Amino acid sequence: MEYKEIEFKKITIDHLTCQSCSSKQHRVIGKLTYLYFFIESIPFVPVKKSINIVCDNCDSAFDVDSLSSSAYKTLSKKLFKFYALIPMYTGVIMILLALSYWQYDKYQVNILSKEYIESPKVNDFYYINQTSINDKIPPNKKYVLGKVVSLTPNTVSLVFSRYLFENKSSLANDIQGAKVIDAEYFNKKHHVFTREKLINFYQNETVLLVLRPKNSKLFGTIVLTSNISVNRQEKGYRENRIGLSFMLDADNKASLEDAERFFLESANKGYVQGQLNLARLYLDTNKINLALEWSKIAALKGYDLAIEFYTQHCSSSEDCDVAAFNAELIEAGF
């Protein structure tokens, strides 16, 4: 920080007598010292006011200290009017405006995060602090990036990034660096939460932020791309995609029924992703036996997510036997 003194204002008075030439005409100069940072022309805040009185006739300086306090205050008020001093606080005003904008922007982000967590969509990105979910997470690697991969009326499935981070800013860096479009960036394991649980996660700051891509972009960076490894000519692919599109509006009963119809068509054509999506839909509508039936069909084709699904939910049915299922997997070569 540095300081600069300027001549702020000048007025003329005729009620003082010069001690050198007895002239009564004097000019009064108000000087102002202000603080600035880096740019001299942008005052941050005034720090000192001073008054000089000079005879117009002989240029002799009048002894300001000889003025009464009331006379000094009168001159000071004329020289340093409040409205005229406002520009001298330009730096402070700029910082306050910047802070206000930052706070408003932060408020808007929080409002959107709350809106997104209450009405999730596939491909939403979550900043997550895992410490309240997994107590085995090292304290210096507690942040993880989550992504919504599927929805039902009551549940949301997330995949987590393979990488854990010490700083929350690293999550944004990975998005801005387009790392999230790498097919290996996220783990394949689905973490399924009820919608109510996710809202609780946001309230207790387990979910710190929710971002929704616009035109496949976040922070101006592409974050969504087509999965080129998918064989779009495979039977059941098209019906599964249509079913997923209806699941985007899963709160609508008619959309849910359409999603079930297309998933069933896809499943009947042998498409494993359609079979698993149908199983997830049945699970959420409490049709556990149908959910296990379709996930088992997909699992016995070696689909790892279906194997995980069946194993995870087998205990929900009295007729399900994990040991027998594992034996069938081995027999099928998996």
Side-chain angles (χ1 to χ4, degrees):
M1 65 180 71
E2 297 186 62
Y3 299 90
K4 182 178 181 179
E5 185 181 68
I6 60 171
E7 187 176 293
F8 187 70
K9 189 175 181 180
K10 188 187 297 183
I11 61 175
T12 301
I13 58 175
D14 58 5
H15 62 274
L16 296 178
T17 302
C18 177
Q19 296 168 337
S20 298
C21 69
S22 299
S23 172
K24 290 186 175 295
Q25 297 295 318
H26 290 78
R27 56 185 182 276
V28 184
I29 304 165
K31 292 189 175 183
L32 194 68
T33 302
Y34 65 81
L35 170 69
Y36 69 91
F37 293 92
F38 308 114
I39 303 176
E40 189 177 294
S41 59
I42 302 180
F44 189 77
V45 64
V47 294
K48 182 182 178 182
K49 304 172 187 174
S50 61
I51 296 176
N52 290 345
I53 302 176
V54 181
C55 176
D56 275 346
N57 184 53
C58 68
D59 287 334
S60 297
F62 187 87
D63 183 9
V64 177
D65 293 335
S66 67
L67 293 174
S68 66
S69 61
S70 60
Y72 187 90
K73 287 180 181 179
T74 299
L75 289 175
S76 183
K77 287 180 179 179
K78 289 181 179 180
L79 290 167
F80 305 108
K81 294 184 182 296
F82 173 75
Y83 64 84
L85 286 173
I86 291 177
M88 305 310 296
Y89 291 88
T90 298
V92 171
I93 293 171
M94 290 173 66
I95 287 179
L96 289 176
L97 288 173
L99 287 173
S100 297
Y101 177 80
W102 177 75
Q103 284 292 339
Y104 178 74
D105 189 56
K106 187 176 179 182
Y107 170 76
Q108 286 292 98
V109 167
N110 288 335
I111 290 294
L112 287 175
S113 290
K114 185 175 183 296
E115 177 185 326
Y116 295 158
I117 204 86
E118 292 174 351
S119 301
K121 288 188 176 182
V122 171
N123 293 325
D124 284 350
F125 285 79
Y126 289 18
Y127 287 15
I128 298 171
N129 181 342
Q130 283 199 104
T131 51
S132 63
I133 301 175
N134 187 348
D135 56 9
K136 296 180 181 179
I137 295 295
N140 63 332
K141 297 288 184 180
K142 62 183 180 180
Y143 297 109
V144 69
L145 192 63
K147 181 182 177 184
V148 177
V149 290
S150 67
L151 299 168
T152 71
N154 298 316
T155 63
V156 179
S157 294
L158 298 163
V159 289
F160 291 167
S161 60
R162 296 179 182 274
Y163 313 100
L164 302 176
F165 302 97
E166 181 177 0
N167 301 309
K168 187 170 65 173
S169 60
S170 298
L171 303 176
N173 291 340
D174 273 16
I175 293 174
Q176 292 170 327
K179 294 181 180 179
V180 296
I181 63 175
D182 189 319
E184 300 299 319
Y185 184 84
F186 290 100
N187 286 305
K188 292 184 178 180
K189 181 179 180 180
H190 285 211
H191 301 265
V192 183
F193 303 102
T194 64
R195 296 186 180 219
E196 182 180 359
K197 186 68 173 178
L198 277 182
I199 291 173
N200 289 337
F201 279 162
Y202 182 70
Q203 291 172 344
N204 65 24
E205 297 186 346
T206 296
V207 174
L208 304 169
L209 181 68
V210 184
L211 300 172
R212 180 164 294 168
K214 186 174 182 180
N215 297 326
S216 299
K217 292 182 179 181
L218 285 174
F219 307 129
T221 302
I222 293 288
V223 293
L224 301 175
T225 58
S226 299
N227 187 350
I228 59 174
S229 65
V230 172
N231 181 4
R232 300 189 179 192
Q233 303 304 316
E234 187 175 351
K235 290 182 179 180
Y237 169 82
R238 175 179 170 276
E239 292 79 2
N240 181 62
R241 295 296 298 176
I242 295 173
L244 288 172
S245 69
F246 279 113
M247 287 302 294
L248 295 175
D249 189 27
D251 293 330
N252 185 314
K253 184 180 178 181
S255 294
L256 198 62
E257 291 173 351
D258 286 330
E260 180 181 354
R261 177 163 57 87
F262 279 101
F263 283 151
L264 184 58
E265 286 186 34
S266 175
N268 283 327
K269 290 183 177 182
Y271 192 63
V272 291
Q273 292 182 27
Q275 291 167 347
L276 182 57
N277 284 330
L278 181 62
R280 288 175 177 147
L281 184 57
Y282 282 146
L283 177 68
D284 199 60
T285 52
N286 296 318
K287 299 175 182 177
I288 183 62
N289 289 328
L290 283 172
L292 291 172
E293 177 184 335
W294 279 108
S295 62
K296 184 177 180 180
I297 292 172
L300 291 176
K301 295 177 182 178
Y303 189 28
D304 52 355
L305 294 181
I307 294 171
E308 178 188 332
F309 180 94
Y310 188 92
T311 304
Q312 181 179 356
H313 298 289
C314 184
S315 59
S316 302
S317 172
E318 295 179 358
D319 300 327
C320 187
D321 186 339
V322 173
F325 170 67
N326 288 332
E328 288 184 73
L329 279 178
I330 293 172
E331 187 177 344
F334 303 111

